[in-house]
């Protein structure tokens, strides 16, 4: 039976030893001392371990069932959602004006990682609702906010995001869903949307669908897209629910993973919809929360890697098989545990160094989102927008690699459903696909983000790395972290320079976009590990009681710097080969 143990101790290290959140000049952060964050994370961790995690295999095995137009979720899901609802977790970082707790987004991400590790499919129901909340909060009228937000915050009502249609995914300019204007100011929405997560279920009294559609006569392509609120049930003036709207679930997808989440085909047959924001500006409204949404998907990849690592580690400590090559390690047993074998250690260290480095990277990026919002900081917004494709693309690519590596630790047992390792692989797989495939993330990074504001933000990142290297270059203990970081940063700069010099041939630039995204990701994790090393040395110098924790950080960081970070040189070589050999083969010869 798979399990989950809260990662509160490591999160506390990242928040306080590394990021020093309570000292950041961001409104509300001064309240995030160790006692406060510790209490929050401890309670969130208990819910993850005791409520959500036991239902993860249940959701996977039972899946969702469509019966007479209604979706039945797996056993226990509704009770678990009630725990989240009753504890205020569904509105943790939402606006207090609408019933939220107003907590920093950074702390919400830490909570979200634990909950997603425990049960990714279940957490998608309140997660999609939070996305609908964010769009209405940013672009809705005062009347719409008052009407919908309190119930979305409390998860009395659920929410969805409806973008994809059978004939189009990334190219939303091809959508066919229509919005016919009515005399009363509403619109009749007609069309079909597919792959709508949490599109239909009975865990909420109402579901507020946010739907992209085109008003007839508008501009062609993406410039003609508008965004609409389409409730499952009409909402009366007094807030009570009326009749069912003309929106229905036409089917459930049979899919590789996240079986506990209802992935729906949604049919709109003249459903009443309400325009959000301006006509033909729907895509801009939908993408307002894209940084948050894509960081959330990166978090899902990291979360699955984290829980997969925990279970693989437990298996490696328990499974006995043969004797260690350097001599007997556990003479009281018939054989040694496989954790003593170098190849198993290699796999576990790959996972551990990625998970802990990725967690630091993710939470660092989250502080930038908080800074951009709470301080209205354009520089923070620019930097995090640059890094978001890396957060989403790198953390999910490497997150999947980590779940596969964790499965491999089990040997044949990992291929069976009994141990749960294969579910982590299957659930993680979707994170590389939705919210923009990782190929799209790489193209966004290279094709758009590097050049934003004349390269201001990527130069700010380079300066940030250079400053850290300069500040710590004289510390001999830091040399084993600073030297590889410096080399990797030079590889990243060389990759960026290659793109600048070859943008005249888009194939040359874009053929290496995925490799560059990974190069960037390794530098980000290298920076995090160097910073965590510094924080660990400082804690040890100050006489920290838990010396094993900080010394383990240093050992894990050294592993990343020597075994993973050097991959940047190889990735740079791939970037610099250009597009000739990628695009050289004719279509007919494939």
């Amino acid at each position: 039976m798979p399990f989950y143990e809260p990662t509160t101790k490591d999160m506390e290290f990242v928040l306080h030893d590394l990021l020093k959140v309570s000292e950041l000049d961001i409104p509300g952060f001064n309240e995030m001392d160790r006692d406060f964050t510790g209490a929050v994370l401890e309670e969130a961790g208990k819910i993850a371990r005791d409520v959500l995690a036991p239902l993860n295999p249940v959701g996977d095995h039972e899946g969702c069932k469509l019966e007479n137009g209604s979706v039945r979720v797996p056993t226990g899901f509704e009770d678990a959602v009630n725990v989240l609802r009753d504890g205020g977790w569904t509105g943790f970082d939402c606006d207090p004006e609408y019933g939220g707790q107003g907590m920093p987004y950074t702390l919400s991400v830490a909570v979200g990682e634990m909950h997603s590790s425990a049960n990714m499919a279940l957490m998608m129901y309140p997660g999609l609702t939070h996305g609908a909340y964010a769009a209405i909060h940013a672009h809705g009228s005062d009347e719409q906010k008052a009407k919908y937000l309190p119930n979305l915050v409390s998860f009395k009502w659920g929410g969805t995001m409806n973008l994809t249609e059978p004939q189009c995914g990334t190219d939303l300019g091809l959508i066919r869903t229509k919005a016919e204007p009515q005399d009363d100011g509403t619109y009749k929405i007609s069309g079909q949307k597919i792959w709508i997560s949490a599109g239909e279920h009975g865990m909420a009294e109402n579901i507020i669908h946010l739907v992209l559609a085109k008003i007839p006569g508008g501009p062609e392509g993406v410039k003609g897209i508008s965004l609409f609120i389409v409730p499952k049930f009409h909402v009366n003036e007094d807030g009570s629910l009326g009749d069912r709207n003309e929106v229905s679930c036409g089917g459930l997808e049979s899919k590789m993973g996240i079986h506990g989440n209802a992935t729906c085909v949604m049919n709109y047959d003249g459903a009443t919809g309400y325009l959000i924001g301006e006509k033909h500006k729907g895509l801009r409204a939908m993408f307002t929360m894209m940084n948050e949404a894509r960081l959330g998907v990166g978090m899902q990849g990291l979360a699955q890697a984290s829980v997969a690592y925990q279970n693989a580690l437990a298996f490696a400590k328990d499974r006995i098989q043969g004797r260690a090559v350097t001599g007997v390690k556990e003479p009281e047993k018939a054989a040694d545990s496989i954790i003593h074998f170098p190849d198993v250690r290699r796999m576990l260290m790959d996972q551990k160094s990625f998970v802990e480095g990725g967690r630091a990277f993710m939470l660092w990026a989250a502080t930038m989102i908080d800074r951009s919002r709470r301080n209205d900081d354009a520089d923070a917004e620019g930097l995090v927008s640059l890094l978001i494709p890396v957060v989403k693309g790198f953390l999910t690519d490497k997150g999947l690699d980590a779940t596969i590596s964790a499965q491999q630790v089990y040997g044949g047992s990992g291929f069976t459903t009994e141990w749960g390792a294969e579910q982590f692989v299957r659930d993680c797989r979707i994170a590389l696909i939705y919210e923009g495939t990782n190929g799209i993330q790489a193209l966004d990074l290279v094709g758009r983000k590097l050049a934003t504001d004349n390269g201001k933000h990527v130069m700010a990142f380079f300066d940030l790395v250079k400053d850290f290297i300069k500040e710590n270059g004289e510390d001999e203990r830091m040399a084993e972290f600073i030297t590889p970081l410096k080399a990797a940063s030079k590889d990243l700069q060389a990759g960026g320079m290659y793109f600048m010099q070859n943008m005249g041939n888009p194939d040359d630039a874009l053929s290496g976009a995925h490799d560059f995204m990974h190069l960037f990701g390794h530098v980000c994790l290298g920076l995090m590990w160097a910073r965590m090393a510094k924080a660990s040395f400082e804690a040890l110098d100050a006489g920290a009681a838990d010396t094993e924790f900080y010394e383990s950080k240093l050992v894990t960081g050294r592993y990343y710097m020597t075994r993973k970070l050097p991959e940047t040189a190889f990735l740079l070589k791939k970037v610099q080969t250009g597009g000739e050999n990628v695009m050289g083969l004719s279509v007919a010869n494939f």
Side-chain angles (χ1 to χ4, degrees):
M1 181 73 175
F3 67 91
Y4 175 70
E5 281 297 326
T7 53
T8 52
K9 188 171 186 178
D10 196 54
M11 287 181 176
E12 287 284 282
F13 167 77
V14 173
L15 290 173
H16 297 290
D17 292 77
L18 175 66
L19 300 177
K20 303 184 187 301
V21 289
S22 63
E23 300 174 20
L24 297 179
D25 59 337
I26 304 174
F29 272 52
N30 62 318
E31 300 175 3
M32 286 212 296
D33 58 29
R34 287 182 184 269
D35 288 342
F36 177 74
T37 60
V40 169
L41 293 175
E42 182 180 1
E43 186 60 30
K46 288 179 182 177
I47 293 171
R49 181 189 61 218
D50 301 334
V51 178
L52 302 177
L55 296 175
N56 200 38
V58 175
D60 187 54
H61 296 152
E62 289 188 13
C64 297
K65 302 290 189 299
L66 181 62
E67 301 169 344
N68 300 318
S70 298
V71 168
R72 177 164 54 85
V73 298
T75 303
F77 270 39
E78 187 166 3
D79 290 339
V81 163
N82 286 335
V83 171
L84 296 171
R85 179 191 289 126
D86 294 344
W89 297 102
T90 58
F92 187 73
D93 66 331
C94 295
D95 191 339
E97 183 177 348
Y98 303 103
Q101 297 192 49
M103 294 294 170
Y105 175 68
T106 301
L107 191 55
S108 176
V109 169
V111 169
E113 188 212 311
M114 289 194 288
H115 287 174
S116 188
S117 284
N119 198 321
M120 176 175 163
L122 186 151
M123 289 308 301
M124 289 172 65
Y125 292 98
L128 270 295
T129 301
H130 191 283
Y133 155 86
I136 296 172
H137 188 269
H139 296 280
S141 65
D142 290 341
E143 180 184 0
Q144 289 171 336
K145 292 178 185 179
K147 190 172 189 177
Y148 298 107
L149 293 188
N151 287 326
L152 288 173
V153 168
S154 68
F155 198 65
K156 185 177 182 180
W157 295 351
T160 69
M161 315 295 285
N162 287 237
L163 291 78
T164 306
E165 298 183 6
Q167 77 287 348
C168 69
T170 300
D171 190 355
L172 290 170
L174 300 177
I175 67 171
R176 297 172 184 162
T177 301
K178 292 184 179 180
E180 297 279 355
Q182 305 298 298
D183 292 340
D184 62 357
T186 64
Y187 292 79
K188 291 297 181 185
I189 312 297
S190 300
Q192 186 180 79
K193 298 289 184 177
I194 64 170
W195 305 337
I196 307 307
S197 301
E200 172 63 32
H201 58 87
M203 295 187 292
E205 294 178 5
N206 200 3
I207 299 177
I208 308 304
H209 301 288
L210 295 193
V211 183
L212 289 181
K214 289 184 175 180
I215 300 170
E220 293 295 320
V222 295
K223 294 182 179 179
I225 296 176
S226 299
L227 182 62
F228 299 88
I229 295 172
V230 185
K232 174 181 175 180
F233 290 100
H234 293 290
V235 181
N236 298 320
E237 290 298 324
D238 63 358
S240 63
L241 299 184
D243 296 333
R244 176 83 184 238
N245 205 351
E246 295 300 319
V247 52
S248 61
C249 176
L252 291 178
E253 300 292 350
S254 178
K255 54 192 190 291
M256 178 179 177
I258 53 168
H259 295 157
N261 193 266
T263 306
C264 302
V265 176
M266 300 302 299
N267 296 320
Y268 295 86
D269 301 303
T272 300
Y274 307 87
L275 180 69
I276 300 180
E278 301 177 49
K279 293 180 181 179
H280 316 311
K281 302 294 184 182
L283 205 58
R284 184 176 67 181
M286 186 69 87
F287 277 75
T288 293
M289 59 287 187
M290 194 53 66
N291 282 348
E292 177 184 319
R294 288 179 170 170
L295 187 146
V297 175
M299 177 265 287
Q300 289 179 328
L302 179 71
Q304 294 309 293
S306 177
V307 67
Y309 164 69
Q310 288 187 11
N311 283 264
L313 176 62
F315 183 91
K317 289 180 177 180
D318 183 67
R319 176 72 166 178
I320 60 172
Q321 187 168 300
R323 290 298 186 184
V325 294
T326 55
V328 175
K329 302 298 182 184
E330 298 171 283
E332 74 281 5
K333 297 181 180 179
D336 290 330
S337 302
I338 62 173
I339 195 170
H340 296 293
F341 303 158
D343 194 56
V344 173
R345 285 289 186 100
R346 173 189 61 82
M347 291 187 285
L348 292 172
M349 288 300 290
D350 279 354
Q351 296 161 47
K352 180 178 174 62
S353 63
F354 164 71
V355 167
E356 293 180 12
R359 179 175 295 126
F361 179 35
M362 173 186 70
L363 291 173
W364 177 52
T367 64
M368 293 182 225
I369 290 180
D370 269 322
R371 188 181 297 278
S372 68
R373 290 177 180 170
R374 294 176 175 239
N375 291 14
D376 196 22
D377 188 328
D379 289 338
E381 169 71 19
L383 182 56
V384 77
S385 294
L386 166 73
L387 294 176
I388 283 298
V390 185
V391 173
K392 196 278 187 186
F394 186 74
L395 292 188
T396 57
D397 274 349
K398 292 302 182 182
L400 178 64
D401 287 349
T403 62
I404 294 171
S405 179
Q407 183 188 31
Q408 188 72 15
V409 170
Y410 289 79
S413 298
F415 199 66
T416 67
T417 59
E418 175 186 359
W419 291 91
E422 53 86 39
Q423 183 189 348
F424 301 136
V425 177
R426 290 185 289 104
D427 285 355
C428 187
R429 188 66 184 86
I430 186 58
L432 287 69
I433 297 171
Y434 58 19
E435 285 298 340
T437 65
N438 285 359
I440 294 297
Q441 303 306 314
L443 297 182
D444 180 43
L445 174 64
V446 171
R448 295 180 61 244
K449 298 298 177 61
L450 290 182
T452 298
D453 295 333
N454 296 315
K456 172 184 176 181
H457 307 298
V458 72
M459 294 307 297
F461 177 81
F462 289 145
D463 288 343
L464 189 151
V465 176
K466 289 177 184 176
D467 289 345
F468 180 84
I469 291 171
K470 184 177 180 180
E471 290 167 6
N472 297 278
E474 301 301 318
D475 187 340
E476 293 183 3
R477 297 179 302 179
M478 287 291 293
E480 56 191 335
F481 295 91
I482 294 298
T483 301
L485 176 61
K486 188 174 183 179
S489 179
K490 288 182 177 179
D491 289 339
L492 182 63
Q493 293 176 60
M497 184 61 67
Y498 176 84
F499 290 134
M500 290 178 61
Q501 294 170 346
N502 290 275
M503 276 302 180
N505 183 347
D507 283 345
D508 279 345
L510 300 184
S511 292
H514 184 267
D515 299 306
F516 183 78
M517 179 180 73
H518 276 235
L519 200 169
F520 211 141
H522 277 301
V523 173
C524 288
L525 262 65
L527 175 63
M528 292 299 103
W529 272 116
R531 292 179 61 185
M532 286 191 284
K534 180 180 180 180
S536 297
F537 283 129
E538 289 175 346
L540 291 169
D541 290 344
D546 192 351
T547 57
E548 284 190 4
F549 176 85
Y550 294 104
E551 288 170 353
S552 295
K553 276 292 175 191
L554 292 169
V555 173
T556 307
R558 291 183 188 111
Y559 180 89
Y560 195 88
M561 304 309 273
T562 57
R563 299 274 304 196
K564 307 306 293 184
L565 193 57
E567 291 179 19
T568 60
F570 170 59
L571 291 165
L572 175 61
K573 289 291 187 184
K574 293 173 70 177
V575 167
Q576 292 173 332
T577 61
E580 181 177 357
N581 293 323
V582 174
M583 305 301 294
L585 191 63
S586 69
V587 173
N589 287 328
F590 270 90

